[in-house]
Amino acid sequence: MAEKSPFIVSPDWLETHLHDPGLSVVDASWYLPAQNRDARAEYDAAHIPGAIFFDQDAVVDPDSALPHTLPSPTEFERHASAMGIGRTDTIVVYDGPGMFTAPRVWWMFRVMGADKVFVLDGGFDNWKTDGRPVTDRPTKIAGTAFVPHFDPGQLVSLDAMQAIVADGSAQIADARGAGRFTGEEPEPRAGMRSGHMPGARNLPFGALSENGYFKDLDGLRAALAEAGIDPGKPVVTSCGSGVTAAVINLALASVGAANHRLYDGSWSEWGGRPDTPVVTGPADA
């Protein structure tokens, strides 16, 4: 049987363990306007029993003008504690279609020091299709204290990103779709230039899963190789606003890559500035 990522759990596993003590199930669904889906409304109508809604537009740095900026450890602690999630819990994160926005919250909890964090394979859409249990009942939350152990080494700042582009000290993996990467398609956010950072490689996040199920380890390695990314060397991931970049981080962690970070400002920051270099067309050979 093909070997799967150690950071995902199967629907069978989660259904069996739903009532385990110390388990926190997190609905991290979020959608682009073009998808015409309301994550909070969908959660209220149906969610996995016991799941807590994680609002990716709310658990952010309130002082940042950029979307989805990672909050400070203190701010994250406030939100996670109010959700009743402890740092030592077994945390299982899911989203609607699977392997879209859940890996971002997986990454956030890991950056804040949780080490038992997993993503539900297949997402909630497949969970429902399979006839697994759902509920519309509000989840009862018992407040707790999430005490973060913040790891700033998993983040890349604008200054650091500019240095990496200039000196080539790390590979750059861009999770946006090919059209946005080459500049043939406009960015969904107004005011953004089109294209990519010099030296970046394109690995659309959707290439790492099939129908919401994460590819096995051989499939992940093949997708990385096809994009020209060597997991044995330093990698920085990027996307539109730092959300789907984490799908690549999940893939890299899954295949044992030791040195991978996420550029949190991503294209919202880089493409929204007049002073950062941007190129169009396919990645350099």
Side-chain angles (χ1 to χ4, degrees):
M1 188 174 179
E3 189 177 1
K4 298 283 281 187
S5 167
F7 300 108
I8 64 171
V9 296
S10 69
D12 285 343
W13 184 94
L14 182 56
E15 187 172 357
T16 299
H17 292 272
L18 267 182
H19 303 292
D20 285 7
L23 176 72
S24 287
V25 182
V26 178
D27 185 330
S29 300
W30 179 89
Y31 299 103
L32 291 162
Q35 291 172 282
N36 292 316
R37 293 182 65 170
D38 184 325
R40 180 72 208 212
E42 290 189 20
Y43 168 85
D44 289 340
H47 53 266
I48 294 175
I52 303 144
F53 186 72
F54 188 109
D55 188 341
Q56 297 209 50
D57 287 324
V59 189
V60 297
D61 178 356
D63 298 323
S64 174
L66 298 169
H68 305 129
T69 303
L70 186 74
S72 68
T74 300
E75 185 74 8
F76 188 88
E77 176 182 1
R78 182 175 69 82
H79 285 284
S81 298
M83 286 185 272
I85 303 171
R87 184 170 51 81
T88 59
D89 288 356
T90 297
I91 303 167
V92 176
V93 189
Y94 72 86
D95 60 41
M99 302 303 158
F100 176 40
T101 58
R104 167 68 182 193
V105 174
W106 168 86
W107 176 84
M108 292 173 75
F109 275 109
R110 283 168 55 87
V111 169
M112 295 298 173
D115 58 7
K116 293 184 291 185
V117 194
F118 306 91
V119 178
L120 174 64
D121 213 12
F124 187 54
D125 292 348
N126 282 306
W127 177 279
K128 288 187 294 183
T129 299
D130 291 344
R132 299 181 188 274
V134 302
T135 184
D136 60 358
R137 295 179 181 175
T139 297
K140 294 180 180 179
I141 296 174
T144 187
F146 185 102
V147 182
H149 287 182
F150 179 52
D151 180 6
Q154 295 193 47
L155 285 160
V156 173
S157 66
L158 173 64
D159 288 347
M161 196 72 241
Q162 289 174 314
I164 288 166
V165 168
D167 64 20
S169 56
Q171 303 165 97
I172 304 167
D174 190 324
R176 293 175 301 154
R180 291 171 64 187
F181 179 86
T182 62
E184 295 171 296
E185 295 177 8
E187 286 296 304
R189 293 178 177 86
M192 302 283 156
R193 293 176 293 163
S194 296
H196 58 269
M197 295 175 233
R201 298 284 179 167
N202 189 208
L203 177 52
F205 72 91
L208 297 167
S209 63
E210 293 178 0
N211 190 32
Y213 293 93
F214 216 35
K215 290 185 175 180
D216 61 30
L217 296 188
D218 286 344
L220 296 177
R221 293 187 187 100
L224 290 163
E226 185 175 351
I229 298 163
D230 182 352
K233 297 177 180 179
V235 184
V236 175
T237 66
S238 179
C239 60
S241 66
V243 174
T244 57
V247 182
I248 303 180
N249 292 90
L250 176 60
L252 289 165
S254 298
V255 302
N259 190 337
H260 56 94
R261 296 173 289 163
L262 188 150
Y263 170 37
D264 203 34
S266 282
W267 201 253
S268 294
E269 182 171 53
W270 193 274
R273 296 176 63 95
D275 60 347
T276 46
V278 171
V279 293
T280 57
D284 296 334

